[in-house]
Amino acid sequence: MASTKEGYQEEFKSFTLALALVIVLPSTSLGAFSGFLSALGDSSLSFLACYATFIALAYSIGITIDCLIPYQLKDWLIYPRIGRFGISRPGSTIFSDLRSGRVSDCRFSASDALEIYSSIIDRLETIDDQDIALRFQNAQWYRLYRKHAQLESVQSANRAFLYGRDLCALPATLSLLMATANCLTLCAGGYVLFARGSIVVCVAFALVGLISARLKGKRLVASVIACDVSETISKEHR
């Protein structure tokens, strides 16, 4: 699993365990788990074995569901877009933001960035179609990202963004699955399987992950620009 969640595997494992507890404990229809714990009595060894099994199952189920979520859907949850309407990725607007003075980062000077990327900005001014302009900027930024992807500052920012994206995608998917399951059990048997509070908490987790991923996404884009500006200036002064 290290290759799947490299850099934040332990944090993601803790998060999936927290989600599992939030889902299981308040849901009276899932009382079999609590009953099983009670049946263990005072046996500390049996309790630890059960707890370890629960952690393993929670992480296995969580990582399995996460792996089944397409990365396109994860990205769409953070930057939703329907047709021409939606929220653009920060890499798709970075050069137009630099031109309009909407980028402020203590790691590089905006005037240096404007000078270094003057050819990109000049080309951008000739593009009238907004979608083409967004794709052009994202392609140019991604070229810079590939150039500096091995730097620790870029890798750290990228891990933070991916972690925030997963914090949004997994609870959002679970809340949808739980709501669907409740509808089915309510229609079929007149009861709900998952507590309403569990769904609310999962939605809250998803919103926190959404905000985190948006902020970390901007940080990642700015980190790439900062590294590239610094490298370019260093070469010019050699």
Side-chain angles (χ1 to χ4, degrees), residues 38-94:
S38 300
L40 294 175
D42 297 328
S43 174
S44 299
L45 183 60
S46 298
F47 181 84
L48 289 175
C50 179
Y51 184 66
T53 301
F54 176 72
I55 292 177
L57 284 174
Y59 181 60
S60 298
I61 293 173
I63 197 69
T64 299
I65 295 175
D66 179 78
C67 290
L68 291 174
I69 305 173
Y71 78 89
Q72 297 93 335
L73 178 57
K74 291 183 178 182
D75 286 345
W76 188 88
L77 288 172
I78 306 302
Y79 305 110
R81 176 166 291 274
I82 300 176
R84 298 179 66 89
F85 302 97
I87 298 176
S88 300
R89 296 166 172 270
S92 299
T93 60
I94 180 61

Side-chain angles (χ1 to χ4, degrees), residues 143-223:
R143 176 178 59 83
L144 298 176
Y145 168 76
R146 292 288 299 272
K147 179 181 177 183
H148 302 287
Q150 300 305 316
L151 296 178
E152 177 56 32
S153 60
V154 175
Q155 290 184 349
S156 176
N158 188 48
R159 285 194 298 268
F161 167 72
L162 294 177
Y163 183 47
R165 190 184 68 173
D166 286 342
L167 291 189
C168 175
L170 182 57
T173 303
L174 288 175
S175 61
L176 180 60
L177 291 175
M178 287 190 293
T180 302
N182 279 355
C183 290
L184 293 176
T185 55
L186 188 61
C187 294
Y191 69 96
V192 293
L193 185 61
F194 299 98
R196 184 181 303 174
S198 298
I199 300 176
V200 171
V201 172
C202 281
V203 171
F205 274 136
L207 291 176
V208 171
L210 172 65
I211 296 172
S212 174
R214 291 266 183 89
L215 294 175
K216 299 307 181 182
K218 291 182 179 180
R219 177 73 176 181
L220 171 60
V221 170
S223 294

Side-chain angles (χ1 to χ4, degrees), residues 109-116:
S109 168
S111 59
D112 289 336
L114 287 172
E115 181 180 352
I116 292 171

Side-chain angles (χ1 to χ4, degrees), residues 91-92 129-141:
S92 299
D129 188 279
Q130 182 181 4
D131 289 338
I132 296 177
L134 292 175
R135 290 197 297 270
F136 170 74
Q137 291 184 80
N138 194 62
Q140 296 299 319
W141 176 82

Side-chain angles (χ1 to χ4, degrees), residues 14-40:
S14 300
F15 179 65
T16 55
L17 176 59
L19 282 178
L21 292 174
V22 163
I23 293 171
V24 171
L25 294 182
S27 301
T28 55
S29 297
L30 299 178
F33 173 72
S34 299
F36 180 62
L37 285 179
S38 300
L40 294 175

